[in-house]
Amino acid sequence: MALNAKGVTKEYGHRVVLAAVDVGLNPGDKIALIGANGSGKSTLLRILAGEEEPDDGIVARSRHDDLGFLSQYVRAVEGETIQDVITSSVAGLRFLEQRMRDLERRMSDSPGEEVLTEYAEVSERFETRGGYEIDARTDEVLANLGVSYLTRDRSITGLSGGEKARVALAALLLAAPDVLLLDEPTNDLDDRALTWLEGYLKGYRGGVLFVTHDRDLIDAVATAILELDEQAHRVTRYEGNYGRYLDAKRAARIRAQQAYDAQQDEIAGLRERAAATARMVGFGR
């Protein structure tokens, strides 16, 4: 499993935000996290990303997996350029590439089984994450997210809020981590960029957990939905996309209404029998 959280609990002061929340994310999963505004969705993502500590519970990540997190609030470092952000984001891929070159040199000297095994693993990860096409993909991703008009030497601090968000998303997608945590990735995208992102996420090989209010994106991409209840502070998992989630919710409401009606019928029957018994006792007296 790429990411596994058990019993995650978080409070701010005396206000409970998360209560024993469980989350499991496997490679290939595309899970939408939904819930009312202020229910704790962003808090949960920050905890899963390791940017915030839970009060209780554990978050386990595979030591072999890279995790990428897109926050709603993009941090800008003074003097940092667009190219700096991209370079930093794809550093993991560059490391894999360098490791491949080191192993290739070792194989030419002493091609032992251990070296061959590691090379096979490293090269597979590099290929799976798009390392061989990173330069071409950079132009493609920036263009499809609508920021290719920005020169790579532009300072991040000089960009608008929307431009910063799209550059941050582009850099994260280029890194192609094993786990993607996305907090409202669609806020600053136009229809063309939204359509492209939908297709990109559908074909993504890693695990994706995303928060969005875009129901069309959820319906097209999600393989499961986690609903965070603002009253219980827990999550309920529903398999399938948004349409199947709505069907499951309707079915649950019908079952709840039927159970309530049956309970009311039972109460009415008990009252009627109690009244009949009282009349019989009164008559006997």
Side-chain angles (χ1 to χ4, degrees), residues 83-158:
Q83 186 58 52
D84 292 334
V85 171
I86 293 173
T87 300
S88 176
S89 185
V90 301
L93 284 173
R94 296 303 184 193
F95 174 81
L96 289 175
E97 185 177 29
Q98 185 58 50
R99 184 59 182 162
M100 285 169 55
R101 302 296 168 253
D102 293 341
L103 290 169
E104 286 167 358
R105 285 191 288 271
R106 288 177 59 186
M107 285 190 296
S108 64
D109 297 331
S110 56
E113 184 176 345
E114 184 179 337
V115 176
L116 292 172
T117 299
E118 184 181 356
Y119 181 79
E121 293 173 352
V122 173
S123 60
E124 182 182 7
R125 282 180 57 77
F126 186 70
E127 181 179 6
T128 299
R129 292 175 57 183
Y132 290 107
E133 305 86 29
I134 185 61
D135 293 325
R137 285 200 309 119
T138 299
D139 293 334
E140 174 196 349
V141 171
L142 290 173
N144 281 294
L145 291 178
V147 285
S148 57
Y149 64 91
L150 298 171
T151 58
R152 304 279 181 87
D153 60 356
R154 282 282 298 272
S155 171
I156 293 295
T157 54

Side-chain angles (χ1 to χ4, degrees), residues 72 162 165 183-190 194 211-214:
Q72 288 191 57
D183 196 355
E184 298 288 0
T186 64
N187 279 355
D188 298 285
L189 303 184
D190 59 20
L194 277 170
V211 173
T212 182
H213 289 92
D214 191 321

Side-chain angles (χ1 to χ4, degrees), residues 15 22 28 40 55 67 105 109 125 134 142 149 165-166 198 202 239-240 245 255 263 266:
R15 185 172 72 90
D22 296 341
D55 296 327
L67 184 147
R105 285 191 288 271
D109 297 331
R125 282 180 57 77
I134 185 61
L142 290 173
Y149 64 91
R166 282 177 284 156
E198 177 185 304
K202 286 171 70 174
E239 299 302 326
Y245 158 77
R255 289 194 299 270
Q263 182 187 55
E266 183 178 359

